[in-house]
Amino acid sequence: MADIAITAASVLASASAQHRKEYNFGYASATAGQHVYLATTNLWQLVDSNAAVTGNELTALCGITLNGGGANQPADVCVYDTDFTPGGTLTNGSTVYSSTTAGGITHDVPTTGAFPRILGIAKSTTKMVLNPTASGVVI
């Protein structure tokens, strides 16, 4: 499955976006445009839709990072936006999913053995409606 190539400097939330800024990044470094979830430790961690992953990664609050940082550095995460710019080229009208690569996003439906999260729908080649939803199924 091919991830959408993200240019971190091009990731933008609209004026009406919902942000979460009260938590820090977890154990891994993150860059703008990566898909993260809020772990039970109240730290943002990179999402990986592999079904082998367990715990609240599969159902927790999630979003797209608007900034980068290392472990325990402040995070700004967009959790909802009707006019989100993810910083990569989208296919208009296509669903955007979590990837089996940690932090990645993709247009490809995850393969067998994955627990996909739907992140939203592309509304142009540069914008999407960001509304992350857990699918609740293992493919």
Side-chain angles (χ1 to χ4, degrees):
M1 142 177 10
D3 286 355
I4 296 168
I6 303 297
T7 302
S10 299
V11 177
L12 300 170
S14 72
S16 61
Q18 294 177 15
H19 298 252
R20 299 300 295 265
K21 295 182 181 183
E22 66 269 32
Y23 305 111
N24 293 335
F25 289 116
Y27 66 89
S29 294
T31 58
Q34 288 191 299
H35 183 205
V36 293
Y37 74 100
L38 187 59
T40 56
T41 57
N42 286 330
L43 295 171
W44 292 105
Q45 306 283 12
L46 297 176
V47 170
D48 182 340
S49 68
N50 289 328
V53 175
T54 60
N56 77 324
E57 176 176 346
L58 304 177
T59 59
L61 177 67
C62 73
I64 303 291
T65 55
L66 296 173
N67 68 312
N72 296 311
Q73 290 184 321
D76 184 0
V77 177
C78 185
V79 296
Y80 177 81
D81 190 353
T82 59
D83 202 30
F84 186 72
T85 304
T89 302
L90 304 173
T91 302
N92 190 17
S94 294
T95 303
V96 179
Y97 298 94
S98 57
S99 171
T100 55
T101 302
I105 65 174
T106 182
H107 281 301
D108 299 326
V109 177
T111 57
T112 301
F115 193 109
R117 289 192 76 147
I118 298 169
L119 297 178
I121 305 292
K123 59 190 239 178
S124 73
T125 58
T126 60
K127 302 267 187 180
M128 67 181 284
V129 175
L130 177 65
N131 189 13
T133 307
S135 68
V137 298
V138 174
I139 296 177

